[in-house]
Amino acid sequence: MKNDIVLSMRGICKAFPGVRALQNVDFTLCKGEIHALMGENGAGKSTLIKVLTGVHPKDSGQISLAGEEVSIKSPSEAQSLGISTVYQEITLCPNLSVAENMFIGRGNYRLVKWRTIEKKTTEILSKLNIPARAAQQLGSCSLAVQQMVAVARAVDMDCKVLILDEPTSSLDEHEVEMLFALMRDLKSRGVGIIFITHFLEQVYEVCDKITVLRNGEFIGEYEIKDLPRIQLISKMMGKELDDISALEKKDTERVKDAEPVVYEAEGLSSSYAPHTFNFEVHKGEVNGFTGLLGSGRSESVRAIFGADKPSTGMIKINGKKVKIAKPRDAMKHGIGYLPEDRKEDGIVADLSVRENIILALQVMQGFFKPFSKAEAEAFADEYIKLLGIKTASTDTPISSLSGGNQQKVILARWLLTNPQYLILDEPTRGIDVGTKVEIQKLVLKLAEEGVSVTFISSEIEEMLRTCSRLIVMRDRKIVGELKGEEMTQAKIMHTIAGEVKSND
Amino acid sequence: MINGIKKIARSQLLVPIIALLALIIFNLFRDINFFTISLITNNEGNQVLSGNIISILTGASELAILAIGMTLVTAAARGQDISVGAAAAIAGSVFVNILRSTQITPGVIIGAFVACCLVAILFGMFNGTLVAIFKIQPMIASLILFTSGRSVAYWINGGASPTVESPLISHLGSFIPGIPIPTPVLVVIVFCIIVALILRFTNLGLYTQSVGINERSARLNGINSVWIKMLTFMFLGVCCAIAGVIAVSRIGLINHETILLDIEMDAILAVAIGGNSLGGGKFSLIGSLMGAYIIQALTITLYAMQVPSTDVKAYKAIVIIAIVVLGSPIVKRYAAQLRDKLAKKPMKVTENY
Ligand SMILES: Nc1ncnc2c1ncn2[C@@H]1O[C@H](COP(=O)(O)OP(=O)(O)OP(=O)(O)O)[C@@H](O)[C@H]1O
Ligand SMILES: [Mg+2]
């Protein structure tokens, strides 16, 4: 049995200023196994990976590969030892081409033939069904494609250990299936895979073992069959999951057609959402845009907020005609927008958690009215507590927070502006199961208080639980609208696929 | 106290502080009287302060002011303006030529100063437009003015090196009767106070840093990044005007070829020595100020050591490279690891016994 172990980590400790990110953590990975690393936001999963691959030096502990103790000092060293990693935040270069991204920094410094690279890339892309061209600039691809490219880049190398830190957060079902097929293939070839995700179904679908971390501590290692979902959750949270039956909907009650219209768009379009659409939002309503990736749901809400400059359209807020050409205009009319791409559009990396939280409200307040340090501190403290953001202090730069906690900071930023209409594009991306429920509850509570919300999520269940009206999109066009009783998973899938023809 | 020291050890000011201390200690060893300040009577019969410290503080005035402006431009535009020397030459020429056209009174001086500020702001807007609207790299954008600016100054001056002779101007360049502190130093102090107030009572700091760190998310939070970049270039314009006026007043004439020659490089260096990233984002004005004074102190030290003026630049370069390398992320990480190791050593020893 012993020589089946490809990787073992013993007694790993790692502290950052003000945080003990890992305390005495053990981890064992066998040949040909898919091993889930689970834990809440900030539990230390990414940190464990980064210690393993030499991004951060460890404070103490041992790492051995195939029984031999190693000391890995840099990611390139890890790579040459056969550890391939897809980090949580995409670390590719958006202004290089897909092919360049696949092959850059590959360790072997032989001269590379450009033609070969493009050909090889095209091969890999088609094998994995990634909808991108080798010569295309990576930045012009959707987040999902970028994530797939990052995975493709890692698995293309002959590796013994493959690490995937939340690789599926931007993928839809279909792409996830493709990734899983790939993972199973590698597994049968004897590769050990570490898989981090917050989607429990995915864990139970592909994994063999689970290691659970909580607050930087090792909780245990379990065979997948010995740890049912409920127990896994309570191991991760250290308590039982809140009852989500409270969220079970009473559809008819929640349909808000009778309420006044807060926001109304007629013939809205932008260069990214080329087909004009009409859209209205009622007071206290939670609606959602759904559709496959690339169906244009994000682009539509970006046009609403003015994130992409609208090319046509008439907007009315509370019945009054207004002009929304840029985000600032939308903010003035009480619209908030949490963007899909946290790293590029959301966080301001080197600034502190406090500055990141107050940013939008501060801008609305005006250039000449900065908040005093005490005011800003009070705002930040309030929302850190409300959303349970794990941070050493309000002065910590946001980039040193865990992925899920960064997301919460951006959410806090928009909640703080007290909007009358809040657009949330994938607000629960990278957020752990417990907090996901909290956020859904929060959305419903906001709606009860009269705030209108537009909610986008790749998880249909989540949308069904929170929304009372769904706009269905396909090929950048609105193809249907479902309300109340009509909102079932089957019906949504049908509308997306275009199998249900309208009655004309 | 210990916490305070720890904070400094981790801050970006560590390297400039060390550099400054090293310069001071080095000079004390060389000449114990190096930092002596004395009160002397100058040739106009005023009691004034004199000594190496005073020459450093005075000599660095233009550089200090330009370094502050350069820091803001760097933060927001993620690049540097290399036309500040040329812009200061133009501003100085405007200043001199307005003064030459009339009787010089305090009012006229203020008017001339305002006029040259406006001209410099205009040039700042020119650079700002290229950078913020046309998205041209700041260095490339300012290359235009860098190469042509001194010719513009030449046209304004009609080819000559016009002089202004007025006691008021020499007060501006050296001492105001009755005040022993050099006027350029006073100007820097007032300027710094104004900048501190601006940063305290506006969101300039937050906005420039946000734009420099992540322009896309700054925009999605309602910040007009074009305007913010433009603003920093206009502000740097004002800095150029002030620097130009100080430089002109010191000698009472403008020579478009030599005035503030190569100062853009020193200003950029001051920003870098202060621990600021030349790639924009977070900044520390105090760091840049320290950088400016370090550069000047170095120059004065080298002169005091009788290094021929032709060699000074080479020596300066060596020291500056050392400082910049010390402040580089690689060295910093290495130092942090070393510190951790040293901090842990004693614990391990006790474990073994
Ligand atoms: N570079 C850093 N500097 C300071 N603190 C850090 C740094 N990186 C991580 N941390 C802290 O370490 C803790 C663990 O973070 P980590 O990123 O490992 O969490 P995670 O389990 O991956 O969470 P998530 O599910 O949100 O991605 C967090 O509290 C985080 O704030
Ligand atoms: Mg993580």
Side-chain angles (χ1 to χ4, degrees):
Chain A
M1 263 325 266
K2 188 90 180 146
N3 47 10
D4 263 2
I5 295 176
V6 277
L7 166 74
S8 109
M9 301 174 80
R10 290 283 162 271
I12 306 291
C13 297
K14 174 75 197 170
F16 295 110
V19 203
R20 296 173 70 183
L22 295 173
Q23 303 169 47
N24 224 344
V25 172
D26 294 345
F27 186 83
T28 315
L29 182 71
C30 293
K31 247 184 162 172
E33 119 185 325
I34 303 182
H35 198 137
L37 186 56
M38 303 290 295
E40 290 186 290
N41 294 132
K45 304 179 295 293
S46 300
T47 306
L48 186 67
I49 300 308
K50 287 183 183 163
V51 165
L52 170 61
T53 57
V55 176
H56 297 314
K58 58 181 186 294
D59 293 347
S60 63
Q62 283 179 351
I63 300 177
S64 16
L65 273 176
E68 241 172 88
E69 190 169 343
V70 289
S71 143
I72 299 172
K73 295 206 180 53
S74 72
S76 58
E77 204 180 324
Q79 213 156 72
S80 63
L81 286 170
I83 304 177
S84 295
T85 316
V86 179
Y87 294 99
Q88 181 171 13
E89 306 295 341
I90 295 172
T91 45
L92 304 176
C93 307
N95 41 15
L96 294 185
S97 75
V98 171
E100 283 167 314
N101 266 296
M102 298 269 279
F103 284 88
I104 202 168
R106 268 300 172 76
N108 51 358
Y109 295 103
R110 269 177 288 128
L111 277 179
V112 277
K113 266 225 201 86
W114 205 234
R115 246 332 153 60
T116 343
I117 284 190
E118 290 223 340
K119 217 175 111 219
K120 260 189 148 173
T121 306
T122 311
E123 249 169 56
I124 299 168
L125 291 178
S126 68
K127 197 172 106 201
L128 296 178
N129 265 324
I130 303 176
R133 284 172 296 110
Q136 193 176 0
Q137 196 187 354
L138 186 78
S140 70
C141 302
S142 74
L143 210 55
V145 169
Q146 293 189 30
Q147 212 166 39
M148 291 294 282
V149 170
V151 173
R153 175 194 150 84
V155 298
D156 175 57
M157 285 174 281
D158 311 300
C159 57
K160 295 195 204 80
V161 176
L162 173 66
I163 302 171
L164 300 168
D165 193 350
E166 298 196 28
T168 55
S169 60
S170 324
L171 304 187
D172 70 15
E173 241 168 281
H174 182 61
E175 287 158 310
V176 169
E177 269 320 310
M178 226 132 58
L179 177 64
F180 284 178
L182 183 77
M183 284 165 68
R184 289 194 184 103
D185 180 33
L186 289 169
K187 171 181 157 166
S188 67
R189 300 212 315 249
V191 177
I193 301 177
I194 305 177
F195 182 51
I196 301 179
T197 182
H198 288 293
F199 297 107
L200 301 189
E201 321 81 67
Q202 297 182 358
V203 171
Y204 285 93
E205 192 178 334
V206 285
C207 296
D208 306 305
K209 270 191 209 145
I210 303 177
T211 290
V212 178
L213 301 183
R214 190 195 316 144
N215 287 329
E217 285 174 61
F218 174 76
I219 300 298
E221 190 201 87
Y222 313 90
E223 291 287 333
I224 201 98
K225 56 181 189 307
D226 299 338
L227 193 68
R229 211 175 271 232
I230 305 289
Q231 273 185 38
L232 169 60
I233 291 172
S234 67
K235 289 258 188 302
M236 278 163 47
M237 305 198 353
K239 59 173 199 240
E240 303 300 319
L241 182 61
D242 274 3
D243 196 10
I244 52 170
S245 60
L247 288 175
E248 290 317 322
K249 38 189 233 161
K250 294 152 237 136
D251 295 321
T252 37
E253 265 175 47
R254 294 228 306 267
V255 174
K256 292 281 167 56
D257 284 359
E259 296 287 329
V261 174
V262 176
Y263 171 93
E264 191 181 348
E266 220 182 284
L268 188 61
S269 74
S270 77
S271 48
Y272 296 93
H275 301 286
T276 55
F277 65 97
N278 302 336
F279 179 60
E280 56 176 36
V281 179
H282 296 269
K283 189 175 159 67
E285 164 191 63
V286 185
N287 56 38
F289 281 79
T290 181
L292 298 177
L293 280 173
S295 61
R297 32 179 217 208
S298 294
E299 288 75 8
S300 303
V301 293
R302 282 179 72 89
I304 294 174
F305 188 66
D308 301 324
K309 195 171 189 299
S311 24
T312 61
M314 202 230 358
I315 311 292
K316 278 186 192 165
I317 299 269
N318 296 327
K320 258 211 287 243
K321 218 173 138 177
V322 298
K323 187 165 167 281
I324 296 183
K326 54 180 188 295
R328 186 67 202 269
D329 301 336
M331 286 162 71
K332 269 186 207 142
H333 293 111
I335 304 179
Y337 166 65
L338 180 126
E340 175 189 26
D341 190 339
R342 168 172 75 226
K343 193 176 169 204
E344 295 295 327
D345 290 342
I347 64 170
V348 184
D350 297 338
L351 292 190
S352 66
V353 169
R354 178 183 59 244
E355 287 164 314
N356 267 286
I357 289 181
I358 63 157
L359 188 58
L361 185 64
Q362 179 66 81
V363 171
M364 285 166 77
Q365 173 104 345
F367 185 72
F368 292 102
K369 292 193 189 112
F371 292 123
S372 71
K373 181 117 190 251
E375 281 172 303
E377 197 74 22
F379 286 139
D381 278 337
E382 183 187 341
Y383 280 87
I384 286 174
K385 211 177 285 158
L386 180 76
L387 298 177
I389 298 170
K390 272 191 203 151
T391 172
S393 74
T394 53
D395 269 327
T396 314
I398 189 170
S399 48
S400 69
L401 262 56
S402 82
N405 283 301
Q406 292 181 13
Q407 182 76 354
K408 290 189 207 171
V409 169
I410 310 302
L411 186 60
R413 176 193 292 169
W414 289 107
L415 291 178
L416 180 62
T417 62
N418 198 8
Q420 61 162 328
Y421 173 33
L422 184 58
I423 302 167
L424 302 173
D425 194 352
E426 302 277 4
T428 56
R429 163 169 299 158
I431 292 235
D432 64 47
V433 263
T435 314
K436 234 175 222 176
V437 175
E438 293 300 318
I439 288 179
Q440 291 165 18
K441 276 191 193 161
L442 186 76
V443 165
L444 293 180
K445 192 171 134 249
L446 285 174
E448 248 161 53
E449 288 164 5
V451 179
S452 315
V453 181
T454 291
F455 194 96
I456 296 180
S457 168
S458 304
E459 283 176 83
I460 291 193
E461 300 82 26
E462 190 172 67
M463 306 261 303
L464 287 175
R465 224 173 284 142
T466 44
C467 300
S468 61
R469 186 160 66 95
L470 283 179
I471 316 293
V472 185
M473 297 196 68
R474 184 190 341 125
D475 295 334
R476 310 213 198 165
K477 276 191 207 125
I478 293 182
V479 292
E481 185 176 323
L482 301 174
K483 234 183 266 182
E485 302 285 292
E486 306 170 317
M487 284 174 33
T488 62
Q489 197 142 347
K491 193 104 186 213
I492 294 171
M493 293 324 281
H494 278 246
T495 318
I496 287 177
E499 282 159 26
V500 177
K501 298 269 180 296
S502 44
N503 312 344
D504 54 10
Chain B
M1 179 65 190
I2 286 177
N3 260 336
I5 290 175
K6 268 192 186 158
K7 219 174 184 174
I8 290 176
R10 251 188 267 127
S11 93
Q12 66 176 91
L13 295 184
L14 178 64
V15 172
I17 287 175
I18 290 176
L20 211 50
L21 284 179
L23 269 174
I24 290 172
I25 293 169
F26 175 77
N27 276 310
L28 282 179
F29 269 105
R30 226 175 32 79
D31 172 8
I32 193 75
N33 294 323
F34 188 80
F35 292 110
T36 319
I37 296 177
S38 51
L39 206 56
I40 59 164
T41 310
N42 70 357
N43 43 18
E44 282 172 30
N46 296 320
Q47 292 273 309
V48 297
L49 293 172
S50 159
N52 283 320
I53 289 198
I54 301 299
S55 352
I56 293 171
L57 290 179
T58 321
S61 301
E62 294 96 323
L63 183 55
I65 287 170
L66 289 174
I68 286 181
M70 189 69 81
T71 310
L72 288 175
V73 164
T74 300
R78 279 177 252 122
Q80 289 72 40
D81 181 340
I82 56 170
S83 69
V84 290
I90 295 174
S93 305
V94 171
F95 185 67
V96 169
N97 284 285
I98 292 179
L99 291 186
R100 280 169 66 87
S101 63
T102 57
Q103 188 85 33
I104 297 176
T105 62
V108 169
I109 292 182
I110 291 174
F113 172 67
V114 170
C116 78
C117 273
L118 290 178
V119 171
I121 288 177
L122 220 58
F123 283 107
M125 282 169 75
F126 173 72
N127 285 336
T129 308
L130 291 180
V131 171
I133 297 175
F134 293 98
K135 312 271 176 224
I136 297 173
Q137 283 279 320
M139 261 196 207
I140 308 294
S142 53
L143 198 58
I144 301 166
L145 198 53
F146 170 76
T147 45
S148 63
R150 288 183 192 267
S151 306
V152 175
Y154 172 87
W155 293 330
I156 296 174
N157 295 327
S161 297
T163 55
V164 267
E165 271 154 42
S166 152
L168 285 176
I169 291 300
S170 75
H171 291 167
L172 205 54
S174 54
F175 294 91
I176 298 170
I179 299 178
I181 301 169
T183 320
V185 176
L186 293 177
V187 172
V188 173
I189 292 172
V190 171
F191 180 76
C192 287
I193 292 174
I194 292 174
V195 171
L197 289 176
I198 291 176
L199 287 178
R200 169 72 186 75
F201 290 106
T202 71
N203 282 312
L204 187 68
L206 183 68
Y207 284 22
T208 44
Q209 298 188 62
S210 301
V211 168
I213 296 169
N214 189 342
E215 196 171 337
R216 277 174 60 172
S217 61
R219 183 174 161 272
L220 287 178
N221 282 288
I223 297 174
N224 185 340
S225 59
V226 170
W227 170 237
I228 289 297
K229 285 185 196 169
M230 192 70 101
L231 200 63
T232 58
F233 274 99
M234 286 159 64
F235 177 79
L236 181 58
V238 174
C239 296
C240 292
I242 300 175
V245 167
I246 295 177
V248 167
S249 308
R250 278 184 205 275
I251 46 173
L253 67 84
I254 172 117
N255 179 334
H256 62 270
E257 269 173 10
T258 54
I259 181 177
L260 296 177
L261 192 63
D262 291 342
I263 193 131
E264 48 277 338
M265 292 308 147
D266 278 349
I268 295 170
L269 266 178
V271 176
I273 292 176
N276 296 300
S277 155
L278 293 187
K282 268 195 101 84
F283 65 82
S284 156
L285 290 181
I286 297 197
S288 301
L289 269 181
M290 289 176 71
Y293 289 109
I294 287 171
I295 291 174
Q296 187 65 21
L298 193 59
T299 314
I300 300 262
T301 307
L302 288 170
Y303 281 130
M305 286 166 71
Q306 318 277 329
V307 174
S309 62
T310 41
D311 299 355
V312 162
K313 278 191 180 162
Y315 286 102
K316 239 167 93 175
I318 294 171
V319 178
I320 284 167
I321 285 189
I323 297 173
V324 175
V325 167
L326 267 181
S328 71
I330 303 280
V331 175
K332 267 192 193 149
R333 188 155 47 153
Y334 191 73
Q337 279 174 18
L338 204 69
R339 200 168 53 220
D340 286 355
K341 254 190 209 152
L342 290 179
K344 257 174 230 153
K345 269 264 164 62
M347 259 167 50
K348 273 206 180 126
V349 173
T350 45
E351 268 169 22
N352 285 345
Y353 282 99

